Amino acid sequence: MIQRAGRAAPTFFGRCQRWVTSGATTGLPPPDINKPVCVFPGQGSQFPGMGKDLCSTYPVAKEIFQEADDSLGWSLSSMMFDTERYPELVMTAHAQPAILVYSLAMLEVFKQRNGIQIEGIGPNSFSLAIGHSLGEYTCLVATGAVSLCAGVQLVHCRGKAMQAAVPAGIDVAMAALMPTKYEDAVALCEIVRKELEERSLSNNVCCDVANYNAVNLVVVSGTREAVERVVQIGKELMHVRRATILEVSAPFHSTMMKQAREMFEPMLWETKFKLPTVPIVSNVDGHAYQQEVSTHMYKNLLLDQMSSTVQWVPMMELCRNGGFQKFIEFTPKKILGPLIKKHISYAQVDSLATEEDLDEYLKRIL
């Protein structure tokens, strides 16, 4: 079971050790590549009524939702189950804990039905834990590095900080660009920042690469004027064929989130971590961490993640170079499967978003 609130979580990672993409270690055995990689999504996978069916069918899922409600001091589950309250649910401070809780509930149902009765993910079921943005926090709870109670509180605070970091009156946006190389997107953002700063003499111009999702797919984030200018120049000069403006409440993974880091940092430092049961892949540097870093170093990576690019391509390169071929995504919606297949075409990816998905998976493997 997931580590419950009230259980001790004294210390986090021990001496500095890191499992790297070459497979070399400084004391840790490499993860078992025959076991699947556990995958968790980021924000955007929420949907109206999420979790209601799962809770009505599985007591273990209901228990997780109830503990999340208790840890927050208000009913997140009621907001999730009520389709008319969906406008509230999409708010960053609500969507992040909702996605975390749903993903963990699906994991617990999977473990129960698959006969895996262990603490956290456990060494007998998965090889690595990997998550996109918010999903890295789900990894922390799933592997027992933090309690469910602490994880829910962390992402709720993280969401509130991200939303509050946007200055009043500033319009923001994100945009997915394809095909676009990472290096070209970085250069394009720099060109637009300089152009708009010279034109407006404003310090509020922001444009950064938020997600490096594939070798030809990036997401840029920042002030709306800058993001729209990136789209315009990209189409005119860099042969960007498709650019989709994403309506968001905050420019995630941009330099505008540095203020969010300052707001979130005290709570993160107060949260006690312990050793995760399997390595967790960092969004910031693409390395898999278990016993390899101190609490101080890993928490700084989590703080850097708020305003840094999600390095999904290096994260997938780690998996490909390490020989991992099986991936199971626990998610409200099927999101990350296509991004995994973009990098590892031969990968076996199972995205478990519903009871029906789980039924089909178990029929195939049992």
Side-chain angles (χ1 to χ4, degrees):
M1 295 292 292
I2 289 171
Q3 181 191 347
R4 301 301 181 198
R7 295 185 183 178
T11 59
F12 188 33
F13 303 131
R15 302 297 294 175
C16 182
Q17 300 171 324
R18 183 167 67 188
W19 180 77
V20 294
T21 54
S22 65
T25 70
T26 56
L28 283 175
D32 186 346
I33 63 172
N34 294 314
K35 297 174 182 177
V37 176
C38 186
V39 184
F40 297 108
Q43 192 168 337
S45 54
Q46 68 276 354
F47 65 90
M50 62 186 293
K52 186 175 182 179
D53 292 342
L54 204 62
C55 284
S56 64
T57 305
Y58 296 100
V60 67
K62 185 176 181 179
E63 179 185 348
I64 291 173
F65 277 83
Q66 184 60 58
E67 186 167 344
D69 290 347
D70 294 342
S71 67
L72 291 170
W74 52 275
S75 183
L76 172 67
S77 61
S78 295
M79 182 183 299
M80 295 170 67
F81 300 164
D82 188 346
T83 57
E84 294 184 358
R85 297 183 66 184
Y86 187 64
E88 296 177 67
L89 183 62
V90 298
M91 296 174 61
T92 303
H94 301 150
Q96 293 197 12
I99 294 165
L100 177 141
V101 170
Y102 187 102
S103 299
L104 293 171
M106 182 58 72
L107 172 63
E108 287 297 302
V109 171
F110 168 84
K111 285 160 55 177
Q112 184 180 75
R113 291 193 56 184
N114 202 33
I116 303 173
Q117 299 298 329
I118 50 178
E119 183 71 23
I121 291 179
N124 297 320
S125 52
F126 294 93
S127 56
L128 294 175
I130 189 168
H132 194 287
S133 187
L134 160 69
E136 188 171 354
Y137 287 83
T138 315
C139 290
L140 289 169
V141 181
T143 61
V146 301
S147 68
L148 174 61
C149 175
V152 170
Q153 292 175 349
L154 275 174
V155 298
H156 178 52
C157 178
R158 180 177 181 263
K160 288 194 297 183
M162 286 178 162
Q163 187 62 59
V166 181
I170 300 297
D171 199 8
V172 299
M174 298 176 71
L177 309 179
M178 184 177 181
T180 308
K181 294 181 179 179
Y182 176 72
E183 296 79 7
D184 290 342
V186 171
L188 183 55
C189 287
E190 181 64 22
I191 291 170
V192 168
R193 280 196 301 269
K194 289 182 178 179
E195 174 190 308
L196 294 183
E197 285 172 357
E198 291 175 358
R199 184 197 307 171
S200 64
L201 300 177
S202 170
N203 293 324
N204 287 325
V205 175
C206 174
C207 190
D208 299 290
V209 178
N211 301 335
Y212 182 22
N213 283 340
V215 293
N216 64 348
L217 172 61
V218 300
V219 176
V220 295
S221 177
T223 48
R224 178 173 291 275
E225 182 183 17
V227 170
E228 290 179 347
R229 182 61 174 150
V230 164
V231 169
Q232 180 184 1
I233 297 178
K235 288 182 175 180
E236 292 175 352
L237 303 179
M238 292 189 173
H239 309 292
V240 174
R241 292 196 302 270
R242 187 169 66 187
T244 305
I245 297 291
L246 310 175
E247 299 300 330
V248 294
S249 57
F252 304 120
H253 301 289
S254 74
T255 52
M256 287 183 73
M257 292 294 100
K258 288 184 176 180
Q259 183 180 347
R261 171 185 176 137
E262 295 174 1
M263 298 170 64
F264 178 58
E265 189 168 5
M267 184 174 187
L268 184 63
W269 287 121
E270 291 172 1
T271 302
K272 293 183 178 180
F273 285 20
K274 70 174 186 178
L275 183 72
T277 52
V278 299
I280 300 172
V281 182
S282 167
N283 280 221
V284 175
D285 63 10
H287 290 301
Y289 291 97
Q290 191 171 18
Q291 282 183 311
E292 58 266 19
V293 292
S294 67
T295 303
H296 184 272
M297 182 176 178
Y298 190 77
K299 286 185 175 179
N300 273 322
L301 284 171
L302 290 173
L303 291 170
D304 289 343
Q305 191 224 71
M306 299 180 77
S307 56
S308 300
T309 305
V310 173
Q311 296 288 347
W312 188 255
V313 171
M315 293 163 74
M316 289 293 99
E317 288 176 348
L318 177 142
C319 293
R320 185 182 63 237
N321 293 341
F324 299 98
Q325 300 182 27
K326 300 177 183 178
F327 299 80
I328 302 179
E329 179 188 14
F330 300 94
T331 177
K333 286 183 180 179
K334 299 179 181 182
I335 298 291
L336 295 176
L339 287 183
I340 294 171
K341 297 286 284 187
K342 277 182 176 291
H343 298 278
I344 309 174
S345 60
Y346 51 83
Q348 175 185 311
V349 183
D350 290 285
S351 294
L352 306 183
T354 65
E355 184 180 8
E356 290 73 20
D357 295 330
L358 182 56
D359 289 340
E360 292 180 8
Y361 172 81
L362 292 176
K363 285 179 183 178
R364 191 178 72 247
I365 68 169
L366 297 179

